[in-house]
């Protein structure tokens, strides 16, 4: 029992159960199947972005560019479709944009020895600016109808975005928990210098980690583009903070080296349920931001105390 309580996911799981119970009393519609599926569909975009963010934070880094890169990836993909390129190739191009930005961040952090917060803050501005330049500041619509399947489709009565999210989490879990790459990710966050001295190519691992963050961000862009049926250059504002919140609420140490991908899924779900419950209760959006900010600070404080 003591081992379970010391697990990284114990407190996030308890928090999720408590919030679900409270929200069920606050709204009788909370546990209805349609509402729960709606919650998970809403969670899916931040949840997918949070997968890559987990990899980055586990190494002791941060990626503030994810919201802007998601907007740029979706805008580029939508623009290429509208201009006559095969939609499948256009979506792959959007994924390539996300991966490219992630790798660029990784090069600057790993080989340029620049602070991650500065690099990704700069690329956030670059990506946002490029998206606005490409689209002229307007949404790009007129996409093929089948693209909507990625954002609004259902498979066995489960929303496609939810299925995509769970598959991505499964792959990430295998990578982090069952491969040497995953062990190196944890080791770098725990003690980067010792990991380097042990023969691990730290720069390559960090490059790959930021590439993963860019790729998962682009995958989230596919879901968002399908949901909105347009490329939105202004999409994703604040998503980087929500993704970081999901990771922190899931028990991952903001300094790196400790955490789990399952915890991130719990954290993203907790954040989504909290948003949904507060909306059902009619809580003012400004008040919601205060509540969520306080919960995030509490999660960081509790994580710090448990590590001490």
């Amino acid at each position: 029992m003591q081992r379970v309580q010391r697990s990284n996911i114990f407190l996030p799981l308890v928090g999720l159960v408590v919030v679900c119970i409270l929200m069920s009393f606050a709204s009788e519609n909370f546990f209805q199947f349609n509402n729960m599926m709606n919650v998970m569909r809403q969670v899916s975009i931040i949840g997918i972005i949070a997968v890559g963010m987990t990899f980055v934070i586990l190494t002791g880094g941060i990626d503030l560019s994810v919201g802007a890169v998601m907007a740029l990836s979706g805008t580029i993909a939508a623009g290429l479709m509208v201009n006559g390129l095969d939609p499948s190739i256009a979506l792959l191009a959007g994924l390539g944009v996300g991966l490219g930005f992630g790798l660029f961040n990784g090069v600057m952090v790993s080989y340029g020895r620049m602070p991650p917060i500065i690099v990704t803050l700069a690329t956030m501005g670059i990506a946002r600016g490029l998206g606005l330049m490409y689209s002229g500041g307007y949404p790009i619509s007129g996409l093929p109808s089948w693209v909507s399947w990625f954002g609004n489709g259902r498979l066995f009565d489960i929303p496609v975005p939810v299925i995509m999210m769970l598959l991505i989490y499964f792959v990430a879990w295998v990578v982090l928990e069952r491969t040497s790459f995953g062990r190196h990710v944890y080791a770098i966050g725990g003690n980067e210098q010792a990991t380097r001295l042990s023969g691990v190519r730290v720069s390559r691992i960090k490059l790959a980690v930021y590439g993963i963050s860019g790729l998962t961000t682009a995958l989230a862009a596919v879901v968002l583009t399908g949901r909105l049926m347009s490329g939105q250059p202004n999409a994703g504002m604040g998503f980087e903070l929500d993704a970081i919140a999901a990771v922190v609420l899931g028990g991952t140490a903001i300094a790196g080296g400790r955490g789990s991908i399952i915890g991130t899924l719990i954290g993203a779900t907790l954040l989504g349920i909290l948003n949904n419950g507060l909306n059902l209760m009619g809580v003012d959006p400004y008040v919601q931001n205060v509540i969520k900010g306080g919960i995030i600070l509490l999660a960081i404080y509790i994580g710090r105390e448990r590590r001490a």
Side-chain angles (χ1 to χ4, degrees):
M1 183 64 180
Q2 188 176 5
R3 182 179 178 183
V4 173
Q5 291 178 344
R6 291 183 63 85
S7 169
N8 290 329
I9 67 172
F10 176 71
L11 286 180
L13 192 57
V14 170
L16 179 61
V17 172
V18 170
V19 169
C20 285
I21 293 173
L22 291 176
M23 293 306 173
S24 68
F25 284 113
S27 173
E28 60 182 15
N29 297 322
F30 180 76
F31 274 122
Q32 289 185 358
F33 179 78
N34 287 338
N35 184 58
M36 295 308 298
M37 287 297 98
N38 182 50
V39 170
M40 294 308 296
R41 183 168 52 240
Q42 293 173 354
V43 164
S44 61
I45 293 175
I46 294 299
I48 292 171
I49 295 174
V51 171
M53 189 69 75
T54 302
F55 279 81
V56 171
I57 291 179
L58 282 173
T59 64
I62 202 76
D63 189 352
L64 300 179
S65 68
V66 290
V69 170
M70 183 191 70
L72 177 63
S73 298
T75 301
I76 293 291
L80 292 175
M81 289 183 209
V82 171
N83 287 322
L85 188 65
D86 182 273
S88 299
I89 298 177
L91 289 176
L92 288 175
L95 295 179
V97 169
L99 178 60
F101 261 87
L103 292 175
F104 179 79
N105 287 335
V107 168
M108 293 294 102
V109 171
S110 303
Y111 297 99
R113 308 293 183 185
M114 297 175 65
I117 192 170
I118 301 300
V119 171
T120 58
L121 186 62
T123 52
M124 176 176 70
I126 293 171
R128 184 69 67 187
L130 289 174
L132 292 169
M133 288 168 58
Y134 180 77
S135 65
Y138 295 98
I140 300 175
S141 56
L143 310 185
S145 59
W146 64 265
V147 175
S148 174
W149 185 81
F150 291 105
N152 302 304
R154 284 180 174 263
L155 197 60
F156 306 112
D157 207 29
I158 299 174
V160 169
V162 177
I163 296 174
M164 289 177 60
M165 179 182 70
L166 294 178
L167 287 174
I168 292 169
Y169 269 89
F170 175 74
V171 172
W173 178 83
V174 171
V175 171
L176 280 176
E177 302 296 334
R178 294 292 184 267
T179 68
S180 59
F181 175 83
R183 290 191 292 273
H184 293 159
V185 168
Y186 280 101
I188 290 170
N191 191 325
E192 182 174 332
Q193 186 61 24
T195 304
R196 181 177 285 108
L197 293 174
S198 68
V200 175
R201 295 180 175 178
V202 171
S203 294
R204 290 190 178 183
I205 299 295
K206 292 174 77 171
L207 174 64
V209 160
Y210 281 92
I212 291 170
S213 181
L215 182 59
T216 56
T217 297
L219 287 168
V222 172
V223 175
L224 183 64
T225 302
R227 180 181 299 178
L228 301 177
M229 283 301 286
S230 64
Q232 299 280 346
N234 288 310
M237 290 185 176
F239 279 24
E240 59 280 345
L241 299 181
D242 285 342
I244 293 169
V247 176
V248 171
L249 286 174
T252 296
I254 197 69
R258 183 173 61 90
S260 72
I261 198 67
I262 300 300
T264 297
L265 179 58
I266 294 172
T269 305
L270 176 57
L271 197 62
I273 287 176
L274 190 62
N275 286 332
N276 179 260
L278 293 174
N279 286 331
L280 289 175
M281 293 165 60
V283 177
D284 187 280
Y286 301 127
V287 177
Q288 291 186 31
N289 288 334
V290 174
I291 293 173
K292 288 188 290 184
I295 290 174
I296 293 166
L297 284 175
L298 180 62
I300 294 174
Y301 178 78
I302 291 174
R304 177 176 174 272
E305 289 297 305
R306 282 165 62 85
R307 192 172 188 176

